[in-house]
Structures are given as C-alpha cells and as structure tokens.
Amino acid sequence: MALLSLDNLAMYYALESEWVKAVDGISLSLDRGETVGIVGESGCGKTSLILSILRLLPENARFVGGRIVFDGMDLLKLPEQQMRRLRWRRISMIFQNAMNALNPVFRVGDQVAEALMAHEELSKREAETKVSSLFELVGLPGSRMNNYPHEFSGGMKQRAIIAMSLVCNPDLIIADEPTTALDVVVQDQVLRQIKEMQQERDFAMIVVSHDMSVIAETCEKVAVMYSGRVIEQGNSVSLFHDPRHPYTMGLLSSFPTLRGEKKRLSSIEGSPPDLSSLPEGCLFQPRCPYAKTICEKRPAMMDLGGQHFSECHFADDPQLRKTKLWGR
Amino acid sequence: MAASKLVSFLRTYKQNDMAVLGLVILGFSCALAVLAPVISPYDPFEQTNKLFSPPNLEHPFGTDNLGRDVLSRVVWGTRVSLLFGFGVAGISLALGIVLGAIPGYFGGLVDDLFSRFFEIYLMIPTLVLIILIISIFGTNLFFIMIIVGVTLWPSNARITRAQVLALKSRAFVQASVGSGASHLRVIFTHILPNGIYPVIVNSTLQMGNAILTEASLSFLGLGDVNQVSWGQILYVAQFHVKTAWWMAVFSGFAIMMLVLCFNLVGDGINFVMNPRLRRRTGDAGS
Amino acid sequence: MQPRQGSNPLIDVRKLKKYFPVRVTGLQRFSLRREGQRFVKAVDDVSFQISRGEIFALAGESGCGKTTTGKLLSLLETPSSGSIIYEGEDLANMKGRRMKHCRRRIQMIFQDPYESLDPRFTVMRTLLEPLLVHNIGTHSERNELVSSILEKVGLRPPRDFLMRYPHELSGGQRQRIAVARAMILNPTFIVADEPVSMLDVSVRAGILNLMLQFREELGITYLFITHDLAVARYMSNKIVIMYLGRMVEMGSTDEVLAQPIHFYTKLLMSAVPTPDPSAGRVRIKGISEVADPVNIPSGCSFHPRCQGRQEICAQLIPEMVDVGKGHLVACHKA
Amino acid sequence: MGEYVIRRILEMIPVVLIVIVFNFTIVHLAPGDPAVILAGERATAEYVEATRKRYGLDRPIHEQLILYLMSLMRGDFGDSLAYHRPVLELIVEKIPATLLLVLTSQLVSMVLGTLIGALSAKKYGSRTDRLISFTSVILYSMPVFWFGLILILVFGITLRWFPIWGITSPEMQLSGWGQVVDILWHLFLPVVTLSAAYLTPIFVRLSRSSVMEVMKEDFIMAARAKGLTENVVFFKHALRNALLPTVTQAGLLLGFVLSGALMTETVFGWPGLGRFMYESIFRRDYPTLMGLFIITSVCVAVASLITDIVYALLDPRVVYK
C-alpha cells in the first residue's frame, strides 16, 4: 500500500465572486522511501498542493473533492486535533526560505527541540541531547544550537531546517523549493545532505521545485504540474528521456545546460491560464504548437505503461515524439 | 486615466463603511463651517442676561456663563477647528516632504544630520515646547497654527525619508536614473508619486491631532480669545462642570466627531492604498 | 561565434575598485570603541576589456561583486578607484552633460521585472520617458518609435500593450518591456543583470534569444551578469568568474567552461546539477561557504575552501596569469 | 551593556543642550526686555535690575549663554515667580506624582492594549474586531481632558464614587495602608482617563497591525506545520514578535504620552508637573515653564533609554558592542 495517495484531489480558494482552482483533480501516489518531484512554474498550484496535504491552508481554501490518504487515514476527514498530532511527527517539511522559517527571537536549537517536545514526552535535557546529535548529523557543530537564526549563514540555516525536519523521524518529508534561495555550491551540499539523510533514515519525500535539474538529480518519480493539474507523470528516467506532453517537452528545451552539446533554446509563448477562468478544453491548448481541433476537449489521463501517464490526446501518437515542436 | 484611477480608488474606499462614515462627517462639518452665519441661531458673541440656562427649545445646547448661545458657538467653532486642522497639516506636509525627501534622496551627511535631528526631536515634549512659545509670544490663532505646524513636520519628514530611501534603490528608479533623467525628474515622477500615500495618511491623522492640540492649548488658557473655538468653550466650562455640564459636553463631542472623521478617513485611505491591510487570502497558489 | 577581438575595445576596465564603508547600524552606533572604518571590498582590482559586438559574461555566487561591477559600468555607482574607458573617455567620475550623453549609449536591464517598471506608469509612459529625457523626436515620431520597439521585442500588436500597467502583464512580457526601454535609445552597450533569473523557466529562452537577436542585427555589446553558468555558456563568448570582489578566471567561454583551471571555477561547475536523471556527475566536495565579505581571507581569498592550497596561498594574492589563448587565471598553481 | 548605557547617557547631552539653547533663544526673541520676562511683569524695578545682574543680561550675548549654562549646571534654574522658591526644587517635588500616573497608565495600557489588539487581529474581520477597532478610534479621537471632565461629571459629581480632585483626602487624616488605598482611589479616574482616551487605543492599533503582519510570516506557518497548538503558535511565536514594533513605537511616543499626562493632571488637580505647568501658565511664570521644558525633555530622554534596553532584551538581533 502506498504511503500517501492523492485521489482526484480538488482544492479551490474562494474569492469574493469566483473560485481560484489551485488544485483541480490531482492524483498522485508515493511509496515508503520513495522520492517524487513536483515541477511546475509559478502559479501552477504546487505550493497549494503540498499545503493541502498538511492542511495548512488559508481560511478561504475549500476542499471540493477527492481524498488524501496517508498510511490508511483519510486526512481530510481527520479531526483537527489528530491532524495536528500527525504534523511533523509523521509528515514534516523543509521550507523554501530558511531565513523566514525560523523565528528570529528564539534560539535555533530551542526551535528544533520545540518540534520534538510537541510530540514526545521528553525532558528538555533529553530533547537537547537529541537535537545536538542531529545537528552533528547534518554537519553543524552541536554548540550552534544556542545561537539565534541571525547568527547563521544561509546554508547553515537550511541545514538547521533539515535537522528540524528529521527530529521526529517522520515517514514523509515535503521539501518546498529547498534550495532556491541558495547559491549553487551550497545548493549542491544541501541536496547531497538531504539524500544522505534519506538513505540513512529511509523516509519518503516530495520535492517541489521549478528547477528541472534539481528534480532530475533527486527524484525517482516526477509529476509535472500545469494550472492546478498534473499533466504528466512518470519515473524520472522515462519522463526526462521520453516526455509525452508538449508542455514537458517545451520545458525541457527551454533552459540551457552546462554539459553536452549547445542547442538553441525555445520558450513557450503566452502565459498559463487564469486559475479562476480555466479553458474548457486542454489547459495547455492555447499555448501548444501541436494543438488540433480535438484539443478543444479536455483530454483524459492516458496510461502509457511503465507508470508513465500523460494528459495529452496525442501522448501515444508517435508523430508527437518525432515532430520538433519547440524551437524554430 | 486619472479619472479611472479615482473611480477605482473610490470603489475600494467604499468597501470600508467606517471610512465612508468619516467622509460623511467631514462633509457635514465643512457644510457647517461654510454655512455658520446662516445656520447658527444667534451671534456667538452676543451676551444676554440668561446665564447658565440648561438646554431648552430656545437654546438647544444651553447658554454659558455670559449668556451666550452654546449651539451657535459650537457651529462657529467648526470654522476655527477646520481651518486650524488644514492649516497645520498643510504646513507640516509641505515642510515634511521637502525636508524628508532631501536627506532620503541624497543621503550622506545631510541624512546623518537629519537622523540626529529626528532622534533629538523625539525626546522633546512638543506640547510643553508649544506652550512655552505661545505663553511668551502670544495667542494669535495664526501664530499658533504656524507653531504647531512647525512642530509636527518631523513625522512627515521621517515617513517621506523612509519612503524615498526605499524607493530610490528600487530598480525602476535606477532605470530612470540610468537613462539619464535628472534628480528632480526622478523625485517628482517616480519617487514621490509612488511613496506619497503614507505621508498623506499621516497628514490626515495630523489634522485630527492639530485640532486636539488647539483644544488642549485653549483648555490651558492659551487659546485665541478673539476666536470662537471649541477649546475656548471647554476652557470656560471646566470652571462650571458642577453647574453647567452642557457647556462641556457639546463642545467636547464636536471635537471628538471632527477628529474621529479625520482618523476614519485616514484609515480609509490607508485601507485602499495598502493592500496588505486587506483580507488575507490565498489566490493563485504559487 | 568567435569574438571579433578588435585592437581598440569598446570598454576597457582598468584596476577597477569599489569599496563600501561598513555602516554601523542599530545600537552599535553607540559603541564607545570605534574601530577603524571597515570596508566591504565589493569590487577589488578588476580589469578586463569588452570588444564591440561581444557578449561578456560576469559569473559568480551572490556577493562576488558582479552586480556592483555592472552598476559601475552602467554609471549607477562611481568607482573608488580605477578607470572605465568607454570610446576613449573615462566613465569614472563623469558628470553633467557628458554623463547624460554616455547614459544614452549605455543601458541596463534589471533582474526583477516586477521591480524595474514603475507600477504607476503605462507601458507607453515607461517607454516614452527615456525619449523625453533626451529630447528625441517630435510627439508623433516618439509614438512611432515606441510602437516599433514594442514590435521588435515581440509584443504584437503594440497597441494592445501601450495602455497597460505593469500589473496587467506577465513576467515575460514585463521583461520584454524592460528590454524595449533599454533598446529605445539605440544604445551601443547594455548591462544585463541576471535578466532571466526571476522569470519562469518556460519564458527565459524568449528573453535570451531576443538579446542574441539584437546582437546579431544591431551589433549590441552586452555585459551579461549571471550566477548560472549554463546561461552564461549559452549567451556569452567571453566570461569572467568572480569571487569575493576579485576576478579568478577569464577567457573565452567555451575554453573556460571546457577546461576550467581555477579550483573555484571547478567547484562551481561541479555543483551545477544536470537535467538528466541517468547522468551521474562528479561532485567536488565543497568546503564551507563563502567568507564574510567584510573579513576577506588573506592572500588568495579562496584558499580556505581550496583543495589545492599551498602555504603561499594564504600570504600572497595571486596575479592573473595568461595560460594561453587569452585564458587568464589567478591561481598560484596555474 | 554598561558601556552602552553610558554611551546613551552621553547621547542625551546634545538633547539637553539644544533644549537649553532653545530656551535661551526664546527669551531673547520675545518682545520686550528679557529681564522683565524672567523677573515677571509685576516685579519692582529693583527686582528687574537684580535679575538682570543675576543672569548677566547686561553682558554680550555669548557670555550670557555661557552664564546661563553654568547656572543650569549648578542646578540653578532660577526662582519661581509665583512661589519665590528655586524652580528645580519645585519641579523635583512634583515628579513623583506624575511618575505614578504615567507609569500606572502606561503599564495598564500596554498590557490591555496589546492583548485587545492581538485579539482583534486574531479575529480579523469579525464583529469583535470591528467593534474593537471602532471603539478604539472613537476613544482616540476624544480630547483627553474632555474625557476626564465627563468622567468627573458622571463618576465624581453625579454618582460620587470617586474623588475628583487631588491625590489624597487630607481631611481624613489617613496613614499607612489607609493612605495607600486613598491614593489609589484618587488615582483611579486619572488613570482611566489617560489610558482609555489616550494610550490604550494607540497600543490596540499597534498591536493589531503588528500581529496581523507577523501572522503572515513563514515561521508562523512553520510553527503550525510543527504541529504546535494554535495557542502556542499565537502566544509564543506571534505575540512575542509582535511586541517588538509595539515597544519601538512606545519609545517613539514618550513625548506624546507626557503631553497626555499633563492634560489629565490639569483636569483632576493631580499635583504633578502638569498641574504645576497649568498654574505657571496662568501666572505667566516663565522661569518655571522654561525649567519644566528642560526637565520634561530629560525625563523623556531617560524613558527612551529604558525603552531601548527593554527592546534589546526582547530582540536577540540587537547587539551591544
């Protein structure tokens, strides 16, 4: 049984006169110890999706359909009290901006210990010992526990956040753009740290990023989000080597690489639809160079075998793969 | 373009009913001030032998120690208060923008001097200073207006400075500088239009403060005796609270309403211009 | 894309320095113990030449001084010392009319398109401003120019965009407006500071290709500032790698990125992830983080993080040494 | 820390100097003879001449300033025209009463205001929030002395629950705890006046807006994600951070607070600096008014120092060096 499965999940924000369909029918599953990457551009609903899992949404958010099943429990039916106990103990997070995720007026160590003591009957002393050894594990001197966040550098804060996410030994860690704010060398170190921790502790992970390279290097499975939906998903090797959705193909040909041959890049013209007035047909159709009349209809998720799915009418059409869609 | 901006401003402003209430009171007060000679039933200076008569049909707000009609005095007092409020806020706004924009934009020594000055200003109890000056130099209304205006400008200057400082490093301002625009052009077309609204809000609040200050000074016996002002009425009233409560109650209420409307309007402008104050909601879930 | 290395470069930067005094803030201001004034050496002894029609990349991590260098070259900051020779004139400490004249020729594209357009200005007004500042053309000529530049940056038809405000445009569209604003004065040199790093991945290529197109068609020269080596590789023909205000390696982009010599360049390159799940990459274990720019290490500022450090590295600042084909490295081991 | 305090005390010197120079300038700019201003309009010719000698008003202007500074340094603020006693002595006598009023009101207002404002922010947009906001803006709009008069009218004159004048009831001849209770009883209405119509609304607004700001921070989301209860999130993480701007503002408001206290004292006959100032205005007692200006400035400066220290205790990011 999957550790986490989202089943046709839909979460909208209620504005005064309209719905913003931030998550609009997403299905996704994740096994123990597995890492899935969610990739998408700003405004595609990826942050809303992960906050839905933890039920940490603003008050105007409404779940309008679907289920979130975690370890057999339907999270949307769980009373708030139990949901709160589940947070961090079972599902923890690594935040995008470590600077802002740490409260500036408390010691870093205390903030890590706080998460532990909220869920386990421990004395302050015991908690501190545990935090200290965790600090050493992520490569921070244990004595640094007593420092305040402003005394940490960016990379150190991100390490502290990693330590914090591990403190209750969760089954699942959600990492929201874990390295976006960091320089490339530190990013590399942090990503490696996360990977090492995962090998040691064997937790499952959801990594959210706009950076295809980060996803490619860290995740076994990838889901590509566009306008509140997952439009393609599969294991990362097949998705990166054989994308079956014009959007994914476009994304992959839109950024340069440091290694390998130099190719002319192409961009995806236009912009994603407004989440409060989505088009009737395929969401990507207005920007798609391959669009045909059939695309006026919303495509169904097509199973391409080998756990590879794509929401394109032509996903199994060999012609799509042969056509050079992007780049003049 | 300007018209459409005004329309959209008013549309958001309308959502805040308290702010609308403030605007209504303000309109009413302005009308009273303009129409005072027509509306007020008696001459505010006219002394009669009906001393201390409690509110009745003839004198809805009663009469004072010299037999003057309190209602008429309150109506006329609106003029002085409004004039004082606008005058003080105007002086403070003009000084504040100029003296705040210069240190903010040019920085360096001028800015250091301004910061030092402001720190010192904060430690000076302004009311005591105003009292000292006015008690020595006399209580002419316009003089008081200038003195109060001159003591209030630093807060406008501080806000202007902070705004200018924040805006001048913004990329769109840098872009304008980089394209060769002059300092004045940058300040007047990019910085001030984008940064002025907190200063406007503060000025609105200062109008209320100015009116309260005038009332306080009058209450302490430092008002202009040649003017009919609410503070003057209260000054006299304090000696007769036990016998003639109406003298104190109505004029004080008038002050409160006028100050209230400025505060509500200030909040209203802030509500429109500062989207962060509006409802926290998630939208396009980035 | 071989750089046409002319005998007289468009821009010749010599021993450029920019030190910012460290401002004491908050309560430290009240300290009785006044230490000597300290400086952040944002740009320290930087020299390079940019030829006409070249795209010259400045790369490095945050705080390496690349943005400050860009500001110095676009006249938004004045250098502490050194000179920037542009068409035979020194831009450092330039003033008045001559400065205004140079500003017309040198334009800038900023990182954040949400920041670089005045939120109260329509597209029309944003694009008219530089023309008005320099008193170019008649009313109708100016309108003509605005429309044609919108056309050139791919915002078609222009009339659909003229009356829009920045908040009514997407990130990519805004950045196109920013490019248009830089191009409308017909400049020779453009400083582009991370022009795509704030944009969504899918629209980045559009901006990059637009800039390449202007180079090909109009011979625009660019200083291209980026933290992303892959983007630098795509765009530039020459590259400088900076670290803590100093240049560590310079040369043709292909050469430097194919055969990096400085340990810092190697470290940077090894840290860049690959968008290919099956490609393993060799990672150099990085040591700690960039040092505090106020307390730059002695000698080679990179030495505490360097795998190949020797005794001399802590004592002597290495000079840029030519290792052949215009490839320069500041390393004692080079 | 100690060094920092010394530094801050040294910082006050320019403030005091500026205030003194200000006084000096005013006296010399004023219409009429400075000696008459300092000696009082009804003073005899001999007394005016004696005053002229005393302050050296017949000497060149820069010597006068130095003389004035010197005499102030000796603690000689001149003699009160009304009491014929040294001004400094009179002022020092009045400080404790004002301090009692200001500190009590400030404490009550900060605690109440912060909690009410936080509640308002927590229930943002609700009926409670609107009620709190509206009430506080109304209270804030009242002239503080008028509110005092109304309280006197209602609770003092009509209901006779509280005394309306002074700090004690001398006719009751109380001592010990009885006296303390008597003072508190007299203190009640002035404190209510100063808090309700002046200070509390300010703190409500400050606290409301800063709590609202803090609640949007990422670390609040992080605290919730950690599975902390909403109370811990709010009281531990949000309120502590929201206090910081409140304390800063409280420091900036000190001059303003003093003004309110002076007005309140006037209405209630509270025998502090405010009442004293009122009497001095009435009697055109300029040496006293000038002395009051200097002393109140020093008081505000000291209070701002204390505020800064409190701030530093709350915010670890502040470093003393």
Side-chain angles (χ1 to χ4, degrees):
Chain A
M1 187 186 67
L3 175 68
L4 174 77
S5 70
L6 308 185
D7 182 11
N8 208 16
L9 183 71
M11 191 283 296
Y12 300 168
Y13 294 110
L15 293 191
E16 260 151 49
S17 54
E18 57 196 13
W19 293 103
V20 173
K21 301 182 175 178
V23 177
D24 193 17
I26 286 184
S27 299
L28 200 65
S29 80
L30 179 66
D31 290 326
R32 283 180 191 279
E34 194 176 40
T35 304
V36 62
I38 296 178
V39 61
E41 297 179 272
S42 56
C44 72
K46 53 191 195 293
T47 299
S48 296
L49 176 67
I50 54 174
L51 293 183
S52 298
I53 298 170
L54 278 167
R55 279 175 44 193
L56 286 173
L57 291 158
E59 53 196 58
N60 66 332
R62 307 275 179 279
F63 287 102
V64 293
R67 293 195 309 159
I68 303 174
V69 181
F70 176 78
D71 199 14
M73 291 173 283
D74 186 344
L75 293 190
L76 297 184
K77 294 215 175 94
L78 219 56
E80 173 60 28
Q81 177 81 352
Q82 284 178 44
M83 187 66 210
R84 185 175 61 71
R85 289 209 201 98
L86 186 127
R87 288 185 195 127
W88 221 262
R89 195 168 54 84
R90 308 291 309 277
I91 308 174
S92 70
M93 265 187 95
I94 296 172
F95 296 91
Q96 171 170 10
N97 199 333
M99 178 70 220
N100 300 343
L102 291 169
N103 191 331
V105 303
F106 297 115
R107 292 173 208 278
V108 177
D110 289 350
Q111 296 189 52
V112 179
E114 181 188 37
L116 186 61
M117 288 160 74
H119 298 287
E120 283 169 42
E121 291 289 329
L122 277 174
S123 72
K124 180 113 205 245
R125 175 86 44 87
E126 288 168 313
E128 270 168 9
T129 320
K130 206 166 166 187
V131 172
S132 164
S133 64
L134 209 53
F135 263 45
E136 302 278 353
L137 196 66
V138 297
L140 288 170
S143 59
R144 280 299 206 151
M145 285 177 54
N146 293 320
N147 286 114
Y148 287 97
H150 69 277
E151 295 162 315
F152 274 36
S153 70
M156 287 164 68
K157 268 180 237 146
Q158 199 56 281
R159 281 170 200 274
I161 288 282
I162 293 172
M164 189 152 93
S165 71
L166 294 170
V167 75
C168 296
N169 249 329
D171 303 294
L172 171 63
I173 294 181
I174 300 173
D176 183 11
E177 303 269 10
T179 57
T180 311
L182 302 174
D183 269 321
V184 61
V185 177
V186 184
Q187 158 173 304
D188 195 42
Q189 292 167 358
V190 167
L191 288 178
R192 191 166 42 202
Q193 188 80 59
I194 293 175
K195 271 298 177 201
E196 277 168 19
M197 291 298 121
Q198 193 177 20
Q199 270 155 23
E200 199 178 301
R201 304 272 180 110
D202 200 33
F203 48 83
M205 201 156 67
I206 298 177
V207 180
V208 175
S209 182
H210 68 280
D211 189 333
M212 300 287 267
S213 312
V214 167
I215 296 286
E217 288 200 347
T218 46
C219 306
E220 290 116 47
K221 260 165 79 175
V222 185
V224 182
M225 269 187 84
Y226 187 77
S227 295
R229 289 185 68 82
V230 168
I231 50 102
E232 182 168 7
Q233 61 172 304
N235 74 55
S236 41
V237 175
S238 75
L239 191 130
F240 276 90
H241 287 179
D242 185 20
R244 299 292 192 92
H245 194 288
Y247 177 65
T248 316
M249 295 163 131
L251 274 185
L252 285 171
S253 60
S254 67
F255 57 90
T257 56
L258 187 57
R259 303 171 185 87
E261 71 174 304
K262 250 194 215 176
K263 280 177 296 195
R264 184 167 171 85
L265 305 180
S266 57
S267 66
I268 304 175
E269 298 300 323
S271 35
D274 185 354
L275 291 178
S276 57
S277 55
L278 295 173
E280 282 284 302
C282 169
L283 294 169
F284 188 60
Q285 178 249 337
R287 301 171 78 186
C288 183
Y290 202 75
K292 305 271 159 49
T293 36
I294 190 177
C295 301
E296 302 288 332
K297 284 200 315 204
R298 188 71 71 90
M301 188 57 97
M302 194 183 291
D303 188 346
L304 303 164
Q307 294 294 307
H308 194 152
F309 302 87
S310 166
E311 205 174 69
C312 173
H313 292 291
F314 304 100
D316 57 350
D317 185 349
Q319 199 60 38
L320 175 72
R321 291 149 78 185
K322 271 185 232 147
T323 317
K324 186 165 163 35
L325 276 182
W326 300 99
R328 284 155 292 166
Chain B
M1 238 184 315
S4 77
K5 270 182 191 162
L6 187 67
V7 169
S8 83
F9 177 90
L10 288 177
R11 193 178 302 133
T12 322
Y13 189 92
K14 242 172 37 191
Q15 293 170 14
N16 188 336
D17 35 3
M18 286 298 123
V20 174
L21 176 69
L23 212 53
V24 170
I25 304 174
L26 183 60
F28 180 71
S29 311
C30 290
L32 271 190
V34 172
L35 300 175
V38 187
I39 298 174
S40 69
Y42 302 90
D43 178 347
F45 290 106
E46 189 193 35
Q47 303 185 5
T48 64
N49 51 10
K50 283 182 281 185
L51 310 183
F52 298 120
S53 53
N56 54 44
L57 281 178
E58 216 175 318
H59 298 285
F61 288 2
T63 61
D64 69 3
N65 57 329
L66 298 175
R68 295 173 296 192
D69 179 49
V70 175
L71 173 61
S72 300
R73 289 181 74 75
V74 168
V75 171
W76 278 83
T78 319
R79 285 193 158 189
V80 171
S81 285
L82 275 178
L83 184 72
F84 195 83
F86 283 117
V88 166
I91 295 170
S92 158
L93 184 67
L95 285 175
I97 288 180
V98 174
L99 296 176
I102 293 171
Y105 189 79
F106 293 101
L109 185 68
V110 197
D111 193 35
D112 285 343
L113 279 178
F114 175 79
S115 303
R116 301 291 302 136
F117 169 80
F118 193 76
E119 274 167 27
I120 290 172
Y121 168 78
L122 280 178
M123 297 189 197
I124 290 177
T126 45
L127 186 69
V128 183
L129 175 65
I130 294 170
I131 287 170
L132 181 63
I133 295 176
I134 288 169
S135 67
I136 292 184
F137 286 84
T139 54
N140 175 288
L141 184 72
F142 287 92
F143 179 70
I144 300 177
M145 192 191 280
I146 291 168
I147 293 298
V148 176
V150 168
T151 46
L152 285 184
W153 68 267
S155 79
N156 277 337
R158 184 180 63 112
I159 299 172
T160 309
R161 173 183 170 272
Q163 289 286 93
V164 171
L165 213 57
L167 282 164
K168 80 169 180 188
S169 61
R170 292 270 295 270
F172 68 84
V173 177
Q174 295 274 301
S176 182
V177 173
S179 75
S182 63
H183 292 316
L184 283 181
R185 186 184 185 95
V186 171
I187 292 175
F188 283 102
T189 63
H190 292 291
I191 294 184
L192 287 181
N194 278 294
I196 198 80
Y197 96 84
V199 188
I200 299 289
V201 170
N202 192 50
S203 286
T204 319
L205 303 179
Q206 282 196 341
M207 289 184 205
N209 275 340
I211 291 165
L212 286 176
T213 306
E214 192 274 335
S216 304
L217 290 173
S218 295
F219 186 76
L220 295 172
L222 291 171
D224 188 338
V225 284
N226 298 317
Q227 306 283 342
V228 193
S229 89
W230 295 335
Q232 287 281 339
I233 305 175
L234 279 172
Y235 174 65
V236 181
Q238 67 180 314
F239 304 112
H240 308 287
V241 199
K242 288 185 188 168
T243 47
W245 56 268
W246 53 90
M247 284 171 65
V249 169
F250 295 115
S251 51
F253 190 75
I255 297 176
M256 186 190 86
M257 290 310 277
L258 192 57
V259 176
L260 176 68
C261 84
F262 283 121
N263 287 335
L264 292 179
V265 170
D267 285 353
I269 300 175
N270 208 8
F271 174 81
V272 179
M273 302 303 293
N274 191 350
R276 286 189 306 176
L277 291 180
R278 280 179 253 157
R279 202 172 183 79
R280 285 167 289 177
T281 48
D283 35 37
S286 54
Chain C
M1 283 204 213
Q2 267 303 311
R4 285 159 281 169
Q5 197 90 33
S7 52
N8 65 327
L10 180 70
I11 295 215
D12 186 355
V13 175
R14 290 181 200 156
K15 295 203 168 301
L16 194 62
K17 290 186 184 175
K18 179 68 185 179
Y19 292 1
F20 292 105
V22 179
R23 274 190 88 92
V24 271
T25 53
L27 296 180
Q28 288 180 34
R29 242 165 351 112
F30 302 110
S31 169
L32 284 174
R33 242 177 285 125
R34 283 284 154 119
E35 294 135 28
Q37 179 67 59
R38 298 198 299 171
F39 291 94
V40 174
K41 298 179 176 177
V43 176
D44 198 9
D45 204 5
V46 166
S47 307
F48 55 78
Q49 298 181 337
I50 306 177
S51 307
R52 277 174 203 281
E54 198 168 61
I55 299 185
F56 191 93
L58 272 185
E61 291 172 285
S62 52
C64 73
K66 54 189 194 300
T67 294
T68 310
T69 309
K71 285 194 164 168
L72 290 168
L73 262 64
S74 54
L75 290 159
L76 289 172
E77 294 277 3
T78 43
S80 307
S81 74
S83 57
I84 305 165
I85 312 292
Y86 167 78
E87 293 186 332
E89 281 189 285
D90 191 353
L91 295 183
N93 308 312
M94 189 176 263
K95 284 199 175 67
R97 189 167 295 173
R98 281 172 58 224
M99 167 122 128
K100 193 168 169 180
H101 176 78
C102 284
R103 279 187 162 153
R104 190 173 156 180
R105 295 276 162 242
I106 301 176
Q107 287 291 309
M108 200 162 181
I109 299 171
F110 294 87
Q111 175 174 20
D112 186 350
Y114 289 82
E115 272 276 305
S116 67
L117 303 177
D118 190 325
R120 303 172 54 88
F121 275 26
T122 56
V123 168
M124 179 86 177
R125 234 184 125 186
T126 297
L127 295 180
L128 276 178
E129 190 186 29
L131 298 176
L132 291 170
V133 165
H134 291 280
N135 231 337
I136 293 168
T138 61
H139 182 76
S140 59
E141 283 168 358
R142 285 194 292 263
N143 287 349
E144 194 80 356
L145 264 173
V146 168
S147 294
S148 76
I149 200 79
L150 280 176
E151 190 92 30
K152 277 191 203 135
V153 297
L155 296 174
R156 298 180 201 111
R159 63 170 185 283
D160 284 4
F161 293 92
L162 285 174
M163 285 303 138
R164 293 216 213 156
Y165 287 95
H167 65 90
E168 298 166 316
L169 300 169
S170 72
Q173 287 169 339
R174 288 180 196 220
Q175 199 60 311
R176 282 174 193 263
I177 299 293
V179 173
R181 176 179 54 196
M183 288 301 300
I184 200 163
L185 286 172
N186 211 357
T188 47
F189 179 54
I190 289 182
V191 176
D193 186 1
E194 304 263 17
V196 297
S197 66
M198 302 287 278
L199 300 178
D200 268 322
V201 176
S202 68
V203 298
R204 286 183 184 178
I207 301 293
L208 295 178
N209 290 342
L210 192 63
M211 291 175 64
L212 288 174
Q213 182 196 329
F214 284 137
R215 176 195 178 232
E216 269 155 43
E217 289 173 5
L218 304 166
I220 306 271
T221 309
Y222 293 95
L223 177 71
F224 191 91
I225 299 167
T226 183
H227 70 280
D228 186 337
L229 290 177
V231 173
R233 177 176 181 237
Y234 182 69
M235 290 298 286
S236 67
N237 28 35
K238 263 191 102 171
I239 191 167
V240 165
I241 310 285
M242 287 183 73
Y243 184 73
L244 285 173
R246 303 185 71 96
M247 310 202 304
V248 298
E249 189 156 6
M250 171 163 76
S252 87
T253 308
D254 290 339
E255 162 84 15
V256 170
L257 296 184
Q259 254 132 20
I261 293 173
H262 199 284
F263 283 96
Y264 179 60
T265 315
K266 288 182 186 165
L267 173 66
L268 264 188
M269 288 185 65
S270 86
V272 176
T274 315
D276 182 350
S278 44
R281 85 184 138 89
V282 187
R283 286 161 144 173
I284 298 176
K285 260 208 160 187
I287 303 151
S288 73
E289 288 176 57
V290 184
D292 176 7
V294 184
N295 296 313
I296 293 179
S298 63
C300 171
S301 50
F302 185 65
H303 83 262
R305 299 172 73 186
C306 186
Q307 291 194 316
R309 67 171 170 271
Q310 300 164 312
E311 218 168 290
I312 186 171
C313 297
Q315 291 149 11
L316 199 66
I317 299 178
E319 294 289 319
M320 288 290 264
V321 189
D322 196 334
V323 293
K325 290 187 286 179
H327 187 164
L328 281 81
V329 183
C331 177
H332 292 296
K333 280 194 146 182
Chain D
M1 175 92 187
E3 189 189 291
Y4 162 72
V5 174
I6 294 168
R7 177 93 200 161
R8 274 305 307 265
I9 291 169
L10 293 179
E11 281 270 314
M12 288 179 203
I13 292 173
V15 181
V16 176
L17 272 179
I18 282 180
V19 168
I20 290 168
V21 172
F22 218 96
N23 270 336
F24 183 78
T25 318
I26 287 173
V27 170
H28 282 271
L29 280 181
D33 186 351
V36 175
I37 291 176
L38 294 175
E41 276 150 26
R42 274 162 296 181
T44 59
E46 293 92 68
Y47 187 65
V48 170
E49 280 317 305
T51 312
R52 199 186 302 283
K53 275 259 137 41
R54 178 173 177 189
Y55 293 102
L57 294 175
D58 43 4
R59 300 208 217 161
I61 193 106
H62 60 276
E63 280 184 37
Q64 290 184 32
L65 180 59
I66 291 167
L67 268 175
Y68 183 53
L69 284 175
M70 301 268 280
S71 56
L72 287 178
M73 278 216 289
R74 287 194 306 269
D76 177 6
F77 285 57
D79 286 347
S80 156
L81 300 185
Y83 295 93
H84 304 292
R85 280 175 58 200
V87 166
L88 188 62
E89 212 178 286
L90 286 163
I91 292 177
V92 170
E93 278 171 19
K94 310 287 188 288
I95 288 179
T98 299
L99 219 52
L100 177 65
L101 175 62
V102 168
L103 289 183
T104 317
S105 313
Q106 180 91 358
L107 196 71
V108 169
S109 307
M110 269 188 94
V111 173
L112 268 183
T114 306
L115 289 177
I116 295 173
L119 175 77
S120 197
K122 197 162 191 260
K123 308 210 165 214
Y124 181 81
S126 70
R127 193 168 292 182
T128 320
D129 174 41
R130 291 164 62 94
L131 188 71
I132 290 172
S133 297
F134 192 56
T135 314
S136 69
V137 70
I138 284 190
L139 285 168
Y140 181 69
S141 302
M142 288 180 186
V144 61
F145 52 91
W146 179 67
F147 188 66
L149 281 179
I150 300 291
L151 290 185
I152 286 178
L153 210 58
V154 176
F155 296 99
I157 295 171
T158 312
L159 296 172
R160 296 182 165 278
W161 289 354
F162 293 97
I164 59 172
W165 193 260
I167 190 169
T168 51
S169 325
E171 72 282 0
M172 291 168 77
Q173 297 195 333
L174 296 163
S175 60
W177 284 108
Q179 200 174 9
V180 171
V181 171
D182 186 41
I183 290 176
L184 289 179
W185 190 45
H186 280 80
L187 187 62
F188 189 81
L189 285 186
V191 166
V192 170
T193 304
L194 188 54
S195 303
Y198 208 74
L199 298 176
T200 311
I202 296 175
F203 285 112
V204 169
R205 286 171 73 101
L206 276 173
S207 146
R208 177 173 180 269
S209 65
S210 51
V211 168
M212 271 170 64
E213 280 296 305
V214 171
M215 291 305 278
K216 290 177 204 158
E217 295 281 352
D218 285 357
F219 61 77
I220 294 296
M221 171 77 78
R224 291 209 177 102
K226 281 197 269 183
L228 305 179
T229 62
E230 200 51 37
N231 278 338
V232 175
V233 172
F234 189 75
F235 287 103
K236 184 174 169 190
H237 287 272
L239 213 50
R240 168 84 185 261
N241 282 277
L243 270 178
L244 298 175
T246 308
V247 172
T248 312
Q249 285 292 322
L252 299 180
L253 283 170
L254 290 163
F256 186 72
V257 173
L258 190 75
S259 308
L262 299 182
M263 295 309 296
T264 310
E265 288 185 6
T266 308
V267 182
F268 288 94
W270 192 258
L273 295 174
R275 185 75 207 170
F276 188 45
M277 187 180 71
Y278 179 69
E279 288 163 3
S280 307
I281 294 170
F282 199 72
R283 297 175 167 140
R284 294 290 186 265
D285 185 347
Y286 298 120
T288 306
L289 284 176
M290 285 159 60
L292 276 167
F293 182 44
I294 297 175
I295 298 297
T296 47
S297 304
V298 172
C299 290
V300 174
V302 171
S304 94
L305 167 64
I306 295 169
T307 313
D308 280 357
I309 294 171
V310 171
Y311 188 93
L313 294 177
L314 283 173
D315 190 346
R317 282 166 292 187
V318 177
V319 278
Y320 315 98
K321 249 190 183 167

